[in-house]
């Protein structure tokens, strides 16, 4: 955990599978290449109550963290993020009203901050809702508590969904960042 907390860059990559969404979270090396596997996630498609568990690797023997919706099928559901023992780390929720034109999420790390994450480019956000081809254009989310940047998630060009996560805030729990980065893809059906 201490080593994880020192990371300032991560890579998240979706694996292409037929019946499940799978994600790898890796360190990002200074040259931009992907390093060690930090977490592996699997999400069943069409679940009534969203739940994603992240493990140390794809053997799925040792859980690291997870997130789960509080309610069944709710457009503005709150997702609780817990550690491997089920202890709360924080939570996040999609702001359905603001997300009609620009995807917006609220992320809370109790005792530290509540951050808002929005698509960086509002015009692209609007276009993606009305033009199918625009859905393939990379998008970017910036999470901040007021004017203080917490982290950002940038989608890279490619056939598979791949993201670069930058974390300038030394205090944010990296497990919460990882959960939110995976959720941006898994819960928005990107």
């Amino acid at each position: 955990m201490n080593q994880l907390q020192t990371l300032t860059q991560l890579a998240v990559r979706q694996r292409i599978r037929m019946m499940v969404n799978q994600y790898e979270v890796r360190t990002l090396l200074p040259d931009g290449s992907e390093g060690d596997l930090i977490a592996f996630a699997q999400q069943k498609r069409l679940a009534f109550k969203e739940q994603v568990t992240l493990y140390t690797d794809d053997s799925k023997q040792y859980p690291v963290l997870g997130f789960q919706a509080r309610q069944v099928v709710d457009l503005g559901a709150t997702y609780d993020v817990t550690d491997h023992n089920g202890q709360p780390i924080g939570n996040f929720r999609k702001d359905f009203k603001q997300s009609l034109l620009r995807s917006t999420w609220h992320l809370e790390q109790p005792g530290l901050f509540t951050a808002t994450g929005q698509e960086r480019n509002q015009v692209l956000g609007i276009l993606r809702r009305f033009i199918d081809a625009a859905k393939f254009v990379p998008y970017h989310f910036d999470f901040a508590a007021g004017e203080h940047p917490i982290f950002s998630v940038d989608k890279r060009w490619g056939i598979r969904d791949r993201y670069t996560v930058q974390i300038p805030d030394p205090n944010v729990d990296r497990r919460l960042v990882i959960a939110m980065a995976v959720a941006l893809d898994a819960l928005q059906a990107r």
Side-chain angles (χ1 to χ4, degrees):
M1 177 58 191
N2 289 338
Q3 184 180 7
L4 178 64
Q5 197 59 29
T6 64
L7 297 175
T8 59
Q9 297 183 94
L10 301 170
V12 178
R13 179 175 12 132
Q14 182 182 31
R15 290 182 179 178
I16 297 178
R17 300 290 185 263
M18 292 298 283
M19 297 307 293
V20 296
N21 287 331
Q22 293 182 338
Y23 300 91
E24 292 179 357
V25 181
R26 295 183 172 273
T27 59
L28 196 60
L29 302 175
D31 67 359
S33 63
E34 294 179 5
D36 295 333
L37 181 68
I38 298 170
F40 170 80
Q42 182 168 303
Q43 174 207 27
K44 292 181 182 176
R45 293 184 182 153
L46 305 173
F48 287 108
K49 187 174 182 181
E50 289 291 344
Q51 179 176 352
V52 176
T53 302
L54 288 92
Y55 301 90
T56 55
D57 58 35
D58 58 4
S59 71
K60 299 187 277 184
Q61 290 182 339
Y62 305 103
V64 177
L65 67 115
F67 60 88
Q68 180 175 2
R70 289 181 185 170
Q71 304 89 5
V72 176
V73 188
D74 182 0
L75 297 175
T78 297
Y79 295 83
D80 292 309
V81 182
T82 57
D83 69 10
H84 65 284
N85 290 319
Q87 296 301 309
I89 297 171
N91 63 70
F92 58 84
R93 68 178 173 81
K94 188 169 188 176
D95 188 321
F96 181 73
K97 184 177 173 186
Q98 285 189 353
S99 293
L100 291 174
L101 297 177
R102 184 180 191 181
S103 291
T104 302
W105 291 82
H106 300 288
L107 177 83
E108 181 182 4
Q109 183 173 330
L112 191 58
F113 65 82
T114 298
T116 299
Q118 286 190 315
E119 289 180 274
R120 191 176 301 155
N121 187 326
Q122 185 172 6
V123 173
L124 181 58
I126 292 170
L127 288 176
R128 208 174 29 258
R129 283 149 179 77
F130 299 106
I131 301 172
D132 283 340
K135 292 178 182 175
F136 296 103
V137 176
Y139 61 89
H140 315 283
F141 274 85
D142 295 311
F143 285 81
E147 297 296 318
H148 179 73
I150 305 295
F151 68 96
S152 63
V153 179
D154 297 312
K155 183 176 182 186
R156 297 189 246 169
W157 285 100
I159 295 173
R160 289 188 294 177
D161 291 344
R162 298 178 338 151
Y163 304 87
T164 299
V165 181
Q166 301 288 335
I167 313 167
D169 187 296
N171 299 311
V172 63
D173 190 318
R174 290 350 188 220
R175 298 169 299 174
L176 190 57
V177 172
I178 290 169
M180 188 75 247
V182 168
L184 286 174
D185 187 274
L187 301 178
Q188 294 198 144
R190 300 269 184 212

